[in-house]
Amino acid sequence: MVRGMADYGAEAILLAGAGRALLLQLADPPVGRGVHEHSTFTGRPVNRLKGTLTYVYAIVYGTEEQVNAVRRRVNRAHVPVRRADNGTSPGYNAYDPELQLWVVATLYDTAVTVIEKIYGPLDDESADAMYQDYARIGTALQLPAGMWPKDRAAFGRYWDDRIANLRAEDAGIRVGRGLLYPKHTALWYRAIIPPARFLTAGLLPEQLRKDFGLPWSERRQRRFDRTMRVLSVVYPKLPQGIRHWFKDYCLSSLDAELNGQAGPAKQWWSAKQRKPAGSLK
């Protein structure tokens, strides 16, 4: 059976690759400079992650209204992210098709990397379907359709060339390090960062581990391999409601926003605040 993005895109295990995709994006110097100069990324990492994944979930699973909403949101966010060459460093523009291509490429390659570690290698038909599905994510971001490599072989050549020449600059490294070693975020977020940092390091190319100062060793590699083997056994057996919870949460929040209502988290907190004194629930 052919399985594409609609079959895998809702899996919460893809969150394990979020750090990898983000650091790959930041390692592209123009992306790193743009995020460093125009984003509060390191102060609101969860909001940024939710925003990115809400966009992906809406494109893959959403209604026309949801798709239009996330496209408008992304376009508004990208409008100010531009700067001309100032003589000290090259300029950048969030609407640059080459940068848009790189961002979507990191999402695609990371998703396939994680999926194949958990579910095993995709057969050719499923791999082709997944690849074409990600083209939709790019074109929804205004990436010209002709920019997406025509097939997986062409993408492989593009990817290998980019990785071979990719070196993070100071701006991107500062943002990346701020995400990997947060100082002014919620306690629960700081608690989950060590395992997230470990998974991110294990999934990154070696050169980018060095660029972002992520220590690695043969011992860490063995631990990473064991971790992925355990996840490949345990995760697929979880109930779908657990595996798809983040997708459901993001799209519910988007619906609430479109309807002028509080999102699920705010509704829960408001209900807690209204509980009578002495209530244990």
Side-chain angles (χ1 to χ4, degrees):
M1 181 177 68
V2 178
R3 295 170 63 85
M5 182 62 174
D7 299 291
Y8 291 113
E11 299 293 344
I13 194 65
L14 293 180
L15 292 169
R20 177 191 193 260
L22 289 172
L23 293 191
L24 283 165
Q25 293 166 23
L26 292 169
D28 183 280
V31 175
R33 289 193 295 271
V35 173
H36 181 259
E37 296 177 15
H38 292 273
S39 176
T40 57
F41 206 155
T42 54
R44 302 182 302 111
V46 177
N47 289 351
R48 177 61 183 268
L49 175 63
K50 180 187 172 189
T52 299
L53 291 178
T54 297
Y55 169 81
V56 174
Y57 294 144
I59 296 300
V60 178
Y61 303 104
T63 64
E64 183 177 355
E65 182 183 19
Q66 289 173 325
V67 171
N68 290 335
V70 295
R71 290 184 68 179
R72 288 194 300 269
R73 180 188 294 175
V74 170
N75 287 336
R76 284 197 303 269
H78 284 176
V79 166
V81 185
R82 63 185 68 199
R83 176 172 62 73
D85 188 326
N86 61 10
T88 303
S89 64
Y92 51 81
N93 187 324
Y95 287 104
D96 182 339
E98 290 289 348
L99 301 187
Q100 293 177 331
L101 172 59
W102 176 241
V103 169
V104 180
T106 66
L107 297 176
Y108 163 72
D109 188 80
T110 297
V112 172
T113 296
V114 173
I115 287 167
E116 293 197 327
K117 285 186 177 298
I118 300 302
Y119 292 100
L122 296 170
D123 61 71
D124 285 342
E125 290 184 336
S126 294
D128 287 340
M130 179 76 75
Y131 182 70
Q132 294 305 322
D133 288 341
Y134 265 88
R136 291 171 47 213
I137 295 175
T139 54
L141 268 177
Q142 299 182 348
L143 175 71
M147 290 285 294
W148 189 244
K150 67 177 182 178
D151 54 30
R152 288 187 293 128
F155 179 88
R157 292 189 293 272
Y158 163 79
W159 183 262
D160 290 345
D161 180 67
R162 287 304 313 268
I163 293 298
N165 295 286
L166 194 64
R167 295 295 181 272
E169 293 184 349
D170 287 347
I173 291 171
R174 283 197 292 272
V175 176
R177 295 283 296 178
L179 292 169
L180 295 168
Y181 299 93
K183 296 179 180 178
H184 305 295
T185 55
L187 182 61
W188 69 266
Y189 180 77
R190 293 199 298 272
I192 67 171
I193 276 295
R197 191 164 55 229
F198 171 71
L199 291 175
T200 296
L203 292 167
L204 276 175
E206 181 178 358
Q207 180 58 46
L208 292 187
R209 287 186 202 128
K210 295 178 180 178
D211 287 354
F212 287 99
L214 291 168
W216 204 246
S217 64
E218 291 184 4
R219 181 180 179 183
R220 289 173 186 261
Q221 183 65 51
R222 289 193 297 271
R223 179 184 162 204
F224 174 78
D225 292 340
R226 286 195 301 270
T227 299
M228 299 312 293
R229 284 196 296 270
V230 170
L231 286 173
S232 72
V233 173
V234 174
Y235 177 81
K237 296 178 181 178
L238 295 176
Q240 180 175 296
I242 294 176
R243 301 196 329 269
H244 293 186
W245 74 270
F246 197 66
K247 182 267 290 183
D248 295 337
Y249 167 70
C250 287
L251 292 183
S252 293
S253 295
L254 179 59
D255 275 339
E257 178 184 324
L258 293 174
N259 294 323
Q261 301 171 352
K266 289 184 179 179
Q267 290 177 6
W268 176 85
W269 179 249
S270 296
K272 293 286 285 185
Q273 296 296 89
R274 291 195 298 269
K275 290 289 183 182
S279 174
L280 298 179
K281 295 183 179 180

